[in-house]
């Protein structure tokens, strides 16, 4: 695989997620890339702090992939240091809390952290972060629960507040000049494909890929598909032409 200009790839997990979210993808790409998963989503209290910390710990030049909350943070990284970012990939891309399809879902989950056992909160979150097939898969549910247990209720509360209190980036997206791949999951309950289409309208050099049979945590549903998409994005095989592809 020929990687263009940069061999460094940073993954940014989102809500209730850890490096486990990217395990299979990293395995597929590790021979050709320096793949690293940031832990700043578990350490910092705001999206701005997460972005600053990622820039401080990352190589001088790198590509970045974020999911959900991690996509918002990745966008911030690209805006803060455009000269350092080679390519940007947004999965379940959130550019504003108001852009989420069902912001009330996250507010309801946040309330449940104060009134219910964390196991109940995990079950509620599963319904909106996993696909129907994922909900029927003992393996996927076990992986989700293992990530959620690492994050924990207190940190999940911080993540939700960080996302819900973040500022809209809509007016700044036109400043992103690097090639940007937007991956939308067909069954994402938090970010609709229509919202992802708006991202490619606002980002100059971008392309949208709609992934079937996947939800917000799409790498759990279709890891090989996501791995191949990232490979094509990084090598320049995938055209960044403001088009839309469904796979």
């Amino acid at each position: 695989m020929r990687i263009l200009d940069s061999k460094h790839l940073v993954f940014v997990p989102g809500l209730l997620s850890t490096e486990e979210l990217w395990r299979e993808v990293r395995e597929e790409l590790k021979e050709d890339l320096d793949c690293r998963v940031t832990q700043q989503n578990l350490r910092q209290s705001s999206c701005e702090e997460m972005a600053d910390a990622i820039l401080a710990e990352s190589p001088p030049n790198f590509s970045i992939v974020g999911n959900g909350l991690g996509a918002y943070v990745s966008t911030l990284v690209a805006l803060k240091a455009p000269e350092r970012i080679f390519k940007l990939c947004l999965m379940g891309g959130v550019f504003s809390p108001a852009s989420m399809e069902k912001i009330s879902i996250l507010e309801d989950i946040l309330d449940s952290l104060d009134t219910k056992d964390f196991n109940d909160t995990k079950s509620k979150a599963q319904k909106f972060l996993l696909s129907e097939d994922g909900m029927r898969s003992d393996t996927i549910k076990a992986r989700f629960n293992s990530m959620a247990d690492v994050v924990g209720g207190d940190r999940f509360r911080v993540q939700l507040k960080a996302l819900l209190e973040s500022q809209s980036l809509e007016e700044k997206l036109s400043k992103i000049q690097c090639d940007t791949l937007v991956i939308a999951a067909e069954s994402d309950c938090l970010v609709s494909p229509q919202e992802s289409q708006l991202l490619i309208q606002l980002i100059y050099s971008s392309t949208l890929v709609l992934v079937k049979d996947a939800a917000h945590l799409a790498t759990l549903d279709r890891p090989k598909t996501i791995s191949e998409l990232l490979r094509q994005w990084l090598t320049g095989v995938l055209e960044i032409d403001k088009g839309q592809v469904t796979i």
Side-chain angles (χ1 to χ4, degrees):
M1 174 173 74
R2 185 176 72 88
I3 300 297
L4 304 179
D5 295 343
S6 178
K7 282 184 171 287
H8 302 293
L9 182 59
V10 175
F11 294 95
V12 188
L15 296 172
L16 276 184
S17 300
T18 67
E19 62 184 9
E20 175 64 19
L21 182 66
W22 309 104
R23 174 165 56 85
E24 289 137 319
V25 176
R26 292 172 68 201
E27 283 295 316
E28 290 287 335
L29 301 176
K30 69 179 183 180
E31 290 187 7
D32 300 286
L33 288 163
D34 167 30
C35 296
R36 55 187 73 184
V37 182
T38 184
Q39 301 290 317
Q40 298 304 332
N41 65 311
L42 302 178
R43 297 172 180 167
Q44 309 301 327
S45 299
S46 73
C47 293
E48 291 279 348
E49 291 173 355
M50 293 175 199
D52 289 338
I54 289 170
L55 285 167
E57 72 182 8
S58 298
N61 298 100
F62 58 100
S63 297
I64 188 166
V65 183
N67 175 259
L69 168 67
Y72 181 93
V73 173
S74 297
T75 305
L76 278 178
V77 169
L79 289 168
K80 286 173 176 286
E83 73 284 356
R84 293 181 58 187
I85 305 305
F86 178 51
K87 293 194 175 191
L88 172 67
C89 176
L90 307 176
M91 297 178 57
V94 177
F95 61 86
S96 164
S99 73
M100 289 182 289
E101 180 77 355
K102 297 177 181 176
I103 192 170
S104 61
I105 292 173
L106 297 187
E107 293 173 336
D108 183 48
I109 293 174
L110 182 60
D111 289 341
S112 77
L113 283 167
D114 296 322
T115 59
K116 296 182 178 180
D117 180 81
F118 184 50
N119 286 327
D120 292 331
T121 300
K122 285 193 298 183
S123 296
K124 183 186 290 285
Q126 274 187 6
K127 298 176 183 178
F128 303 111
L129 296 176
L130 300 182
S131 66
E132 291 184 4
D133 286 343
M135 288 291 293
R136 290 191 289 266
S137 168
D138 291 338
T139 299
I140 289 178
K141 285 195 296 183
R143 291 180 64 189
F144 174 83
N145 285 327
S146 70
M147 292 194 297
D149 288 338
V150 170
V151 175
D154 290 341
R155 174 50 52 179
F156 187 32
R157 181 183 290 105
V158 171
Q159 290 180 340
L160 287 169
K161 288 183 176 180
L163 184 55
L164 291 170
E165 295 172 1
S166 58
Q167 300 298 309
S168 173
L169 301 177
E170 183 171 358
E171 294 183 358
K172 299 179 180 180
L173 292 177
S174 62
K175 297 179 180 179
I176 296 176
Q177 297 300 309
C178 63
D179 285 353
T180 302
L181 171 61
V182 178
I183 299 177
E186 186 179 48
S187 301
D188 193 334
C189 290
L190 296 181
V191 183
S192 70
Q194 289 73 29
E195 296 295 344
S196 295
Q197 287 175 341
L198 183 56
L199 277 173
I200 67 166
Q201 292 175 21
L202 297 171
I203 298 175
Y204 174 73
S205 181
S206 58
T207 283
L208 171 63
V209 177
L210 179 63
V211 180
K212 294 182 177 180
D213 303 319
H216 193 71
L217 302 183
T219 53
L220 296 183
D221 292 305
R222 299 190 61 184
K224 291 189 179 297
T225 297
I226 301 300
S227 299
E228 184 57 29
L229 272 177
L230 295 182
R231 187 188 302 278
Q232 293 184 18
W233 162 67
L234 289 164
T235 56
V237 173
L238 181 66
E239 292 189 19
I240 305 298
D241 58 1
K242 284 192 172 290
Q244 177 177 332
V245 178
T246 299
I247 58 174

